[in-house]
Amino acid sequence: MIKSTEAMGHENITEFILLGLFSDEDKKVACFVVFSLCYIAILFGNFLILFTIRGSRLREQPMYFFLSYLSFMDVCFTSTVAPKLITDLLAQQKTISYNSCIAQMFFAHFFGATEIFILVSMAYDRYAAICRPLHYMVIMNRPVCCVLLMASILGAFIHSFLQVLIIIELPFCGPNQIDHYFCDIFPLLKLACMDTSLLVIVIITTTGVLSILTFVALVISYIIILSTLKTRSSQGCRKALSTCGSHITVVFMFFLPLIFTYVPTADSVSNDKVFALFYTMIAPMFNPLIYTLRNTDMKNAMRKMWCRDTRSEGK
């Protein structure tokens, strides 16, 4: 069954060549250093948030329950793309096998879509906390949080599976050069030995429009949330604005490049690579800073947990 599908899907193509971000050799060494440091910062920052939440009482709060999984998804999402991007900067042959390419596309879409759904869950959590404070612990109890998380994972799996299903049915007979730094659906559609214009429209009207609708829904939800803060005390208002402000910043950093990638057309691949860099590398690197620098509870938890560990080691 697998052999027949592969034979139908990619015919003579057994591997692809990733053209990367650019062809300028002088920039590649500098970018290797920069992206390596960015990837280390992403791992360190997101694992710091993850371990701080899991090791403190913050894990009992729904907002930090979702934040810990958002940090974990950031690490997984970036790790599907960054290692290959970094090693290819110094490699002579930037090849990737057909199966590895399909796997990379699946996991990139899976972890990315899971992040989107978790961000939606976090917006719902903030709405319940600020607009329905008396019923908050009933609305957002732990079973509800787990159901929202599992629904996010299931929705992301279905989305990713459909993307892969589209690609494995396409014939690839050459050329095999992908004008991108990782395997994504639009660059792969360009290499198919058939007319894929209808598929491009389908993807734009599903993935693209879904991204826009989700983004608009999140913005509207925060407008509603912020409008209710007018009746709150100044201290409570500042705390709510701090947590909401962090979330809104992350939403804008993640969604805007995503929308520019999947909404207009599949023809602007060079621009798509720049936009993709934002949601695969830049946003995951800044997320820990956004959530810690603007969050007093997180800063206090880090100070208690890591300073305590340092003092205990000194003794």
Side-chain angles (χ1 to χ4, degrees):
M1 181 65 184
I2 294 175
K3 288 183 179 179
S4 62
T5 303
E6 287 183 356
M8 176 182 65
H10 58 95
E11 297 185 0
N12 296 327
I13 298 294
T14 58
E15 65 179 18
F16 294 103
I17 298 171
L18 294 168
L19 297 183
L21 281 169
F22 42 74
S23 57
D24 191 343
E25 295 293 332
D26 296 332
K27 294 179 181 177
K28 289 184 178 180
V29 176
C31 286
F32 173 82
V33 175
V34 171
F35 290 146
S36 296
L37 292 175
C38 288
Y39 185 49
I40 292 169
I42 289 167
L43 295 178
F44 176 78
N46 283 288
F47 276 129
L48 182 64
I49 285 183
L50 180 61
F51 292 138
T52 299
I53 293 172
R54 295 299 173 87
S56 68
R57 291 188 175 182
L58 292 179
R59 66 181 182 276
E60 299 169 4
Q61 300 181 36
M63 184 181 81
Y64 296 103
F65 170 84
F66 290 119
L67 179 56
S68 66
Y69 282 100
L70 183 68
S71 295
F72 180 66
M73 288 301 156
D74 267 338
V75 170
C76 294
F77 181 43
T78 305
S79 295
T80 62
V81 175
K84 180 66 176 169
L85 166 64
I86 292 167
T87 55
D88 279 353
L89 286 168
L90 299 183
Q92 293 296 323
Q93 284 290 99
K94 305 174 183 63
T95 58
I96 184 170
S97 69
Y98 176 87
N99 290 335
S100 297
C101 185
I102 296 300
Q104 187 185 53
M105 189 186 76
F106 172 83
F107 285 112
H109 278 267
F110 174 69
F111 293 125
T114 305
E115 278 199 57
I116 290 173
F117 293 132
I118 289 176
L119 286 170
V120 173
S121 300
M122 291 175 76
Y124 178 66
D125 169 71
R126 290 301 84 203
Y127 168 80
I130 295 169
C131 300
R132 305 286 299 277
L134 297 178
H135 303 91
Y136 175 61
M137 294 313 298
V138 176
I139 296 171
M140 295 302 297
N141 56 46
R142 186 47 60 95
V144 170
C145 292
C146 292
V147 167
L148 288 172
L149 178 64
M150 294 308 297
S152 299
I153 294 171
L154 179 61
F157 177 83
I158 293 171
H159 162 77
S160 306
F161 181 75
L162 292 176
Q163 303 292 306
V164 169
L165 206 60
I166 290 171
I167 294 299
I168 63 174
E169 293 297 324
L170 296 178
F172 293 100
C173 47
N176 66 337
Q177 292 183 333
I178 300 175
D179 190 11
H180 215 300
Y181 62 89
F182 72 99
C183 292
D184 203 3
I185 191 159
F186 280 157
L188 283 170
L189 285 175
K190 283 180 168 290
L191 300 181
C193 303
M194 60 174 285
D195 182 16
T196 58
S197 55
L198 182 61
L199 289 174
V200 169
I201 294 170
V202 169
I203 293 163
I204 290 173
T205 54
T206 52
T207 304
V209 172
L210 181 63
S211 299
I212 291 177
L213 292 177
T214 307
F215 177 70
V216 171
L218 286 170
V219 171
I220 292 173
S221 71
Y222 277 102
I223 291 172
I224 296 170
I225 290 170
L226 295 175
S227 66
T228 63
L229 293 176
K230 296 177 182 178
T231 60
R232 302 297 175 86
S233 64
S234 58
Q235 184 178 358
C237 185
R238 279 196 300 271
K239 186 173 181 180
L241 281 172
S242 176
T243 56
C244 290
S246 300
H247 193 191
I248 292 169
T249 305
V250 170
V251 165
F252 271 88
M253 285 185 64
F254 189 82
F255 272 91
L256 289 183
L258 194 68
I259 289 170
F260 281 120
T261 300
Y262 287 100
V263 173
T265 64
D267 296 328
S268 54
V269 176
S270 59
N271 290 331
D272 288 350
K273 289 191 284 187
V274 176
F275 292 138
L277 199 62
F278 272 89
Y279 62 79
T280 57
M281 293 287 288
I282 307 300
M285 183 175 62
F286 280 102
N287 284 359
L289 289 174
I290 293 167
Y291 278 111
T292 52
L293 294 179
R294 294 179 57 86
N295 192 310
T296 305
D297 291 339
M298 181 64 73
K299 286 189 287 188
N300 289 337
M302 284 183 174
R303 196 176 295 114
K304 287 179 183 177
M305 183 173 176
W306 301 108
C307 292
R308 179 189 62 199
D309 290 345
T310 305
R311 286 196 298 267
S312 62
E313 285 178 6
K315 290 178 182 179

